[in-house]
Amino acid sequence: MNTGFWTLTFWVGFLAATVRMATPLIIATLGETFAERSGVLNLGIEGMMIFGALAGFLTTYFTKSLWLGVLVATLSGIAFGWLMAFLTVTLTLSQHVSGLGITIFASGLAYYTYRAAIGSPTVPPTIKAFSTLKIPLLWKIPIIGPILFDQYAITYIGILLVPLAGYLIYKTTFGLSLRAVGENPEAADAMGINVYKIRYTALLIAGGLAGLSGAFFTLAEFNMFLYDIVAGRGWVAIALVIFANWIPSKVLWGALFFGSIDAIGLRLQGTAIKVPFQVYLMLPYIFTIIVLILIARNASYPSALLKPYRRE
Amino acid sequence: MEKEKIVEMRNIRKTFLNNVANNNINFVVYKGEIVSLLGENGAGKTTLMKILYGMYTKDSGEIFVNGKKVEINSPKDAIALGIGMVHQHFTLVRTLTVLENVILGLPSPKGINLDFDYARKRLQEIIQRYGLVVNPDAKIWQLSVGERQRVEIIKALYRNINVLILDEPTAVLTPQEVEELFKTLRIFKKEGKSIVFISHKLEEVMEISDRIVILRNGVVTGERRKEETNARELARLMVGREVIEVLREKTSVTEKSPLLKVEGLKALNDKNLVALKGISFSVNKGEILGVAGVAGNGQRELEDVICGVRKPISGHIFLDKDEISGRSPKEIIRLGVGRIPEDRMESGLILDLPLYENLVIEFYDKPPFSKGMLINYKSIKRFAQKLIKEYRIKTASIDVKTRTLSGGNLQKVILARVLSQSPKFIIASQPTRGLDVGAMEYIHEKLLEARNNGAGILLISEDLHEVLNLSDRIMVMYEGEIMGIIDRSKEKVDIEELGLMMAGAKRRKVS
Amino acid sequence: MSWPTIKLEKRLPPPVWFQVLTPVIAVFISLLISAIFILILGKNPITAFYYILKGSIGTWFAFKEMLVKAAPLILTGVAVAIAFIAKYWNIGAEGQLYAGALAAAWIGMLNLPLPKPVYILLVITVGFIAGAIWSGIPGYLKAKLKVDDVVTTLLMNYIMIYTVSALLNGPWRNPVTMYPSSTPIAQNARFPIIIPRSRVHFGLIISLLAVLFMYFLVRKTKLGFEIRATGANPSAAKFLGIDTIKSIIVISIISGGIAGLAGVGEVAGVHYHLIRGLSPGYGYSGIIIAMLGRLNSIGVLLAAIYFAIIINGAQFMSITLNIPSYIATVIQGITLIVMLAMLLLFEYRIKIGRSK
């Protein structure tokens, strides 16, 4: 692949890769947006994604069904979301430590399960992963077609989730309660809203989406489960929520921005510019930190974030 | 009494840890009446009403609404039974609009979708019917305190309540706003709604109530119809003895020399709005300058600037010859400022540290408490022992977490820490809020003692009685400006004039 | 639907014996829960735990190997604990460890003409500084610019690990073996072995000194008081005259430096060159050790030894029983959660199933 830097093919390929790489970030970040809007920082997200990646892979590996894999990955995320809710909402434990505990536990459990189920063969087993789904007619539009309408099914789901999340948060009674609970749980409680129920729901959504996001790695992006396959994307999602100011539509743009950094790395590896590929792998993390520095002062965190709610 | 009972609470008991907040209380609300729950802070009024509103679970007792026995486990249950409550600390979501706050928690006629059109129409009806003017699309943080209270009341009305509980509704209002509120309440009464009015202010209770129930230390000490009682009797029932005015001796410092001089001080509040509009005043040696005014008129920002946690945008503060504005808290403490902050739990103390550390936290880095990089805990503990004896701080030991002390004792810890350094100047903000009478008197006594020993004191308090009882001069603040200073060595205080100044309706020339 | 039927009620602080016993109970409960995952594989958890113990303290050799593991765990435990006391959420001990390792390898590979004690001191100092810088950056960002420390410290881990990887696959690649590992460090830069016929090295002594240092810092110094105050309530601490910004920056530097020392020990005491996968997650284990040790110096020491036993023993058990050694990570995650839940009992009584 010695495509020139300035050719159209290069840019179409780059933008298509951007959308693809943004997919897990869009999904996970939307989930995290729900969690944080309800007042809970879900640091378990990385572990939930790793476990989702594994659950999706193993299910598909044994059943040959990709969609069953997607389902099981999502359900596994929901299960960990429930655990996170139990720890931080019911038991009112520290959200920081609970989330880290879940990440360590879930990632450990994922690798443990993988070893137990697969062993450690020299060549990791593979599945037949999702191939891209060409949207009839639309994919033939020049430039736009290959970028937007020749993607994985999960990518389409991720993009559709953006308006859905916006609708849920801004137009429904659940969304209004969610925003109130994350901002002022005492007030929400006084208005008869069940703070616990809203936070549980938000964390189940966050967990489910984290699991789904993880499945993207093993069922679409790659066709196998690798150690550290998620590689800190969960933490990037946490940063993205701040970047997006807890607004779903901005999540899309933020995720595409970070997807593009990932994609640049992929593209430049094939060009004449000789930089160790690890430098490209580093880029998203460096950019995330820079972005955090730039927006830290103006971020409007949900006021109740990190604060457990205890009724007297 | 022939009137219909709407709510009846029987033998209500509620304890927090070892503290009995409600001890077998009986309380009735009749249709179309305004009943006051009168009592001091901590008497159990709010607790009782939070039980009725489903925010607290009672330990024992029974509640009847419209003659039927009910279990109220959440505010939702209470609202369904027609009971609404306006809390002392508003339960509004700052980042949502008025309209969103009003429909918060209600089912929508459109199922899971919010129905703003319908809500807007009903809201307009309520606004017009009761004259509760407010912009439905404003975000809560943009509203004044009075407007926020209106939103709270609208919220309750939107839910078709029959019983409205108001918890200290006048604490944050100007006298004029109070009048408006009372007008609205009388309309409700005319419509057959019942109102429970929680207060510790005798005059208000006498003005608005039909019936008054008095609580003290978690028990009912009396019930009176308004016609058959007077303020004196109520005060006795509330406090347990006749109210005694604190005796203010003449100050021992005769020459008047300014100690703290504030010149043209301007500062912003947390929302970056101008909260202090270039004020100037001074506090003399050996006097207490009381600051009267409704909360939110710049007192908090003044306190913050003097304490060193808010940088002014212009102006100066001098303590003797030293400029203190813009300096760090540590430097300000070193220059001889004693600080008793409004927010004692969140600023004045670190509740999770042991008591002995809180007793020295403002000067732990000075000898003999530390040397070089090291801390001398032996001398700190010795000092702490001395202070708890001297200031009669009730605690199991000096090693306990500070959190375990009661409110009054927590304030004594701050007082002991501050006074032990014999500060030249003391700023005391709401020094007795939420304390029982004993602790309150003790703190007043100590402040007067410090004044008699020559300290200058700036006393910021929402409790007008406290300001009147302690101050040598009274300064009134309104919207970040000084409305006037009353020098009590030269004139008597005219309460009506004071009220008008607090409401911004009258301004004096400040000399 | 029935929502939480668990109620929390405030209580008075529990007796001291309960507080001391808490970590022990937490360990016991977490092993019980972990046993489920062994049972699922159709293996006997008792046998598994027996082999874990056998493989870590069952023989003198195993015991010494356990001590080799304990050294970096104690250091990362101390590093995280002092940071957490100040509520500086240093999740970046892993990256700081690699920073220290990288610096130690760099100095060690220079083959400077220095006597052993001087060279070792130099390696330690430079490794400390490297870790300190890697932690000081997020510390500074948190204190001065209010940038979320959890995220920055986490992301800095990835940046450092990729940096190490880039070096090992590029300029530092061993020219002889062509493996992605650096050339060996100078003989004089290597830590002495402190127990004959074992791999137990000077790093263990450093780690014990770190425990002493932590005790001294927290209990006897002004900085210790300042970080406790800052951690307990930053806005009150600031109001009361404590320079919270300085406290956080200083503690972030010390914390990162100590984590860096763990990396120095791995390079100068164990491997003698920089390799990928130098740490099997010591930095993350440090978080669990700090919490299990209740942010207390002696507690951290004991917790680190406990996890050294688990991690080392799990390897042995894995080989003997064919249970994946990742069970050690599972145990760590569960222990963290259980310990956290146990701490709740200090403040609350838990009542189950009274509401409907």
Side-chain angles (χ1 to χ4, degrees), chain C residues 100-125:
Chain C
L102 188 154
W106 171 59
I107 293 293
M109 287 190 302
L110 292 177
N111 279 309
L112 301 172
L114 295 172
K116 199 172 176 80
V118 180
Y119 209 151
I120 287 177
L121 194 66
L122 181 67
V123 167
I124 291 174
T125 312

Side-chain angles (χ1 to χ4, degrees), chain B residues 341-353:
Chain B
E342 169 176 354
D343 209 349
R344 54 178 167 269
M345 312 282 263
E346 279 304 313
S347 294
L349 296 164
I350 298 183
L351 298 175
D352 284 321
L353 291 183

Side-chain angles (χ1 to χ4, degrees), chain A residues 22-36 40-54 73-74 76-85 87-88 95-108 110-111 202-215 217 228-242 246 251 255, chain C residues 148 150-151 154-155 158 337:
Chain A
T23 305
L25 288 175
I26 294 172
I27 298 173
T29 309
L30 286 177
E32 184 65 24
T33 303
F34 278 95
E36 293 191 17
V40 184
L41 173 72
N42 176 26
L43 287 183
I45 187 171
E46 176 84 3
M48 295 173 186
M49 286 168 74
I50 295 172
F51 199 89
L54 169 99
T74 309
S76 76
I78 290 176
F80 282 111
W82 177 85
L83 179 60
M84 181 72 187
L87 297 174
T88 59
Q95 295 178 8
H96 278 133
V97 187
S98 303
L100 290 169
I102 285 182
T103 285
I104 293 169
F105 171 58
S107 61
Y111 301 133
L203 280 167
L204 296 187
I205 294 174
L209 292 184
L212 173 63
S213 156
F217 292 100
D228 216 16
I229 192 166
V230 175
R233 291 300 193 290
W235 313 131
V236 174
I238 301 262
L240 261 179
V241 180
I242 305 170
W246 296 268
V251 168
Chain C
D148 188 82
V150 175
V151 182
L154 268 166
L155 295 174
Y158 290 87
I337 294 168

Side-chain angles (χ1 to χ4, degrees), chain B residues 201-240:
Chain B
K201 297 181 185 163
L202 296 171
E203 306 82 21
E204 285 174 11
V205 164
M206 283 303 287
E207 185 186 341
I208 192 75
S209 327
D210 300 314
R211 196 162 58 87
I212 300 141
V213 174
I214 307 98
L215 288 186
R216 172 158 38 102
N217 289 331
V219 295
V220 175
T221 51
E223 181 186 337
R224 299 284 185 278
R225 297 208 57 78
K226 183 178 67 190
E227 310 82 60
E228 60 190 39
T229 186
N230 57 49
R232 257 198 113 62
E233 186 194 28
L234 290 178
R236 203 185 59 241
L237 289 166
M238 182 165 105
V239 184

Side-chain angles (χ1 to χ4, degrees), chain C residues 63-321:
Chain C
F63 182 74
K64 288 184 292 191
E65 277 301 301
M66 185 276 287
L67 291 181
V68 177
K69 274 267 179 337
L73 288 174
I74 294 169
L75 285 167
T76 53
V78 168
V80 175
I82 58 173
F84 278 18
I85 289 173
K87 294 258 165 70
Y88 162 54
W89 293 102
N90 184 6
I91 320 296
E94 186 79 359
Q96 292 141 24
L97 180 153
Y98 272 104
L102 188 154
W106 171 59
I107 293 293
M109 287 190 302
L110 292 177
N111 279 309
L112 301 172
L114 295 172
K116 199 172 176 80
V118 180
Y119 209 151
I120 287 177
L121 194 66
L122 181 67
V123 167
I124 291 174
T125 312
V126 176
F128 184 93
I129 292 171
I133 292 173
W134 210 242
S135 167
I137 294 169
Y140 178 88
L141 292 177
K142 175 195 173 79
K144 282 272 188 189
L145 304 175
K146 301 193 166 140
V147 181
D148 188 82
D149 44 345
V150 175
V151 182
T152 45
T153 52
L154 268 166
L155 295 174
M156 299 273 287
N157 288 341
Y158 290 87
I159 296 172
M160 181 48 71
I161 288 165
Y162 285 130
T163 304
V164 168
S165 174
L167 281 172
L168 293 181
N169 286 293
W172 283 15
R173 186 189 286 270
N174 189 318
V176 184
T177 61
M178 287 313 281
Y179 280 125
S181 68
S182 74
T183 49
I185 60 169
Q187 284 293 339
N188 272 1
R190 296 179 187 183
F191 283 0
I193 296 295
I194 55 168
I195 300 180
R197 285 188 302 284
S198 81
R199 302 201 298 157
V200 183
H201 56 86
F202 182 62
L204 185 65
I205 292 177
I206 297 181
S207 68
L208 295 176
L209 288 175
V211 173
L212 267 180
F213 168 78
M214 175 179 170
Y215 173 81
F216 190 74
L217 173 81
V218 176
R219 294 283 143 211
K220 305 281 175 202
T221 68
K222 284 201 284 198
L223 178 64
F225 175 61
E226 286 154 9
I227 60 169
R228 279 187 292 122
T230 302
N233 187 340
S235 66
K238 197 174 155 203
F239 181 88
L240 294 166
I242 288 168
D243 189 340
T244 54
I245 292 179
K246 192 192 94 191
S247 308
I248 287 177
I249 294 176
V250 171
I251 206 64
S252 73
I253 288 170
I254 297 175
S255 165
I258 292 174
L261 291 182
V264 173
E266 293 309 284
V267 167
V270 181
H271 299 286
Y272 305 132
H273 55 209
L274 184 63
I275 52 165
R276 279 184 69 186
L278 186 76
S279 155
Y282 291 137
Y284 298 107
S285 301
I287 299 164
I288 301 146
I289 290 163
M291 288 302 294
L292 185 64
R294 298 195 49 216
L295 308 185
N296 165 292
S297 48
I298 306 299
V300 166
L301 177 65
L302 296 175
I305 291 172
Y306 168 68
F307 280 113
I309 291 172
I310 296 286
I311 294 171
N312 245 23
Q315 299 286 347
F316 178 75
M317 179 219 46
S318 168
I319 298 161
T320 356
L321 293 182

